[in-house]
Amino acid sequence: MNSKSSDQHGGERDGAVGETLGVQLRRAREARSLSLREVSDQTRITRRHLEAIEADDYKQLPGGIFNRSFVKAFARAVGYDEDEAVRAYQRVARESGESFDDSPATRQASRIYTDDAPSRSPLLTALLSLVILAVISLAAYAALHYYRRTADAPAPQQAATATPARSVPAPNATQPAPNAAAAPAASGLKVSVRAKGEDVWLRTSADAAPSSDGILKAEQAKEIDAEQSLKLEFARVKAAALEVTINGRPALVPSETKPGKSLVEMLIKRDDYERLLQHP
């Protein structure tokens, strides 16, 4: 399949001598009538990063192995020869002094990259999240209040047949003990991720929300809330530089990648997150 793709694009490159990798990828995308949004949805690479690749502006990418992965995924999506695309990128990176190590470059500014979403700003997303949490909290409080009222109310028949002699102890008999109505268990997940002593590239995905990725500066912490699950992804060589706590309790950070994966995945679920905790 690779030889066929090479033959297919070899003629195009021979006919466009001097064109950069970004220009050739853009021509391949347009030949397939694909928009950057469609390529972004297919590759899970932000549109801003795809635009940087087409402009040959690789300094806007995270760096290291992620640059090669982005270029390879872009080429695959538009039908361009993947190996040729990676070789072309490496030539450009070598000429500009780029590093090819397994960790993202640390020259990036301290900022978190998110998927493009022109119709919803980060502020609006945060406000919607707060509104949803408030509605859920009010619903839980109303349910608890209703349950306690129904538990405390005596049965109608019992109230009608109660005798004066038993009128004094009756409230104690129906009154629940002070600790009977225990506080509801904490719902959801509250996860804190801190970079210890060095910068760490991190990708997060909470519940069904779009994933976000960026660089945590040394000693910087990030707080993440989730209802059901949260997935953290990071380079294997950075596992020892991450400190993760789940609902206020320290967790063990994995350092092994799954077969076919280039990143370490740490999946935290509300129902069984205790398996990840550090036990004395």
Side-chain angles (χ1 to χ4, degrees):
M1 180 180 294
N2 290 339
S3 61
K4 182 177 180 180
S5 299
S6 301
D7 295 340
Q8 176 182 353
H9 291 287
E12 182 179 358
R13 288 193 296 275
D14 292 339
V17 177
E19 287 188 347
T20 64
L21 174 61
V23 172
Q24 294 184 54
L25 290 175
R26 177 176 56 78
R27 284 162 54 89
R29 176 178 62 79
E30 292 175 347
R32 289 197 169 199
S33 299
L34 293 174
S35 66
L36 285 174
R37 168 59 63 184
E38 292 171 325
V39 177
S40 177
D41 292 340
Q42 180 178 346
T43 63
R44 302 292 296 172
I45 301 173
T46 64
R47 191 170 66 183
R48 181 152 53 90
H49 287 159
L50 296 176
E51 291 173 346
I53 294 174
E54 288 193 350
D56 297 291
D57 187 7
Y58 301 108
K59 291 183 179 180
Q60 300 299 321
L61 304 184
I65 190 175
F66 300 105
N67 288 17
R68 298 199 299 275
S69 298
F70 285 5
V71 169
K72 189 173 183 179
F74 194 167
R76 184 187 308 118
V78 300
Y80 192 88
D81 188 281
E82 301 173 24
D83 295 334
E84 175 60 28
V86 171
R87 286 194 295 270
Y89 160 71
Q90 289 178 336
R91 286 195 296 270
V92 174
R94 192 177 296 110
E95 292 172 359
S96 60
E98 291 285 339
S99 171
F100 292 104
D101 59 13
D102 286 343
S103 60
T106 58
R107 64 178 182 276
Q108 298 284 334
S110 177
R111 54 189 177 183
I112 300 297
Y113 297 107
T114 59
D115 290 340
D116 288 340
S119 60
R120 180 179 297 176
S121 67
L123 178 59
L124 180 56
T125 300
L127 290 176
L128 288 176
S129 300
L130 290 176
V131 170
I132 292 173
L133 288 175
V135 171
I136 293 174
S137 300
L138 288 174
Y141 175 80
L144 177 62
H145 183 66
Y146 176 79
Y147 171 78
R148 295 185 64 177
R149 287 187 59 186
T150 55
D152 292 345
Q157 183 178 1
Q158 179 183 357
T161 59
T163 63
R166 300 182 59 186
S167 60
V168 174
N172 292 333
T174 58
Q175 182 71 22
N179 296 328
S187 61
L189 296 168
K190 295 185 71 66
V191 179
S192 175
V193 185
R194 185 173 70 89
K196 301 187 297 183
E198 57 182 296
D199 296 354
V200 178
W201 182 90
L202 179 69
R203 174 181 293 160
T204 62
S205 179
D207 297 322
S211 63
S212 64
D213 56 83
I215 295 177
L216 282 178
K217 300 295 288 184
E219 304 307 326
Q220 179 184 0
K222 180 178 181 180
E223 304 292 335
I224 310 166
D225 292 335
E227 287 296 323
Q228 297 295 334
S229 65
L230 171 67
K231 182 168 69 173
L232 306 177
E233 297 179 81
F234 46 87
R236 179 175 57 83
V237 296
K238 296 294 184 177
L242 280 178
E243 180 181 89
V244 178
T245 60
I246 306 172
N247 291 343
R249 302 171 65 183
L252 295 171
V253 179
S255 59
E256 298 297 330
T257 59
K258 295 182 179 179
K261 301 289 186 179
S262 60
L263 299 174
V264 177
E265 294 185 0
M266 182 177 182
L267 181 60
I268 305 170
K269 295 184 177 180
R270 187 182 69 175
D271 296 336
D272 66 345
Y273 71 87
E274 292 190 359
R275 63 184 173 80
L276 301 173
L277 299 179
Q278 298 181 11
H279 297 286

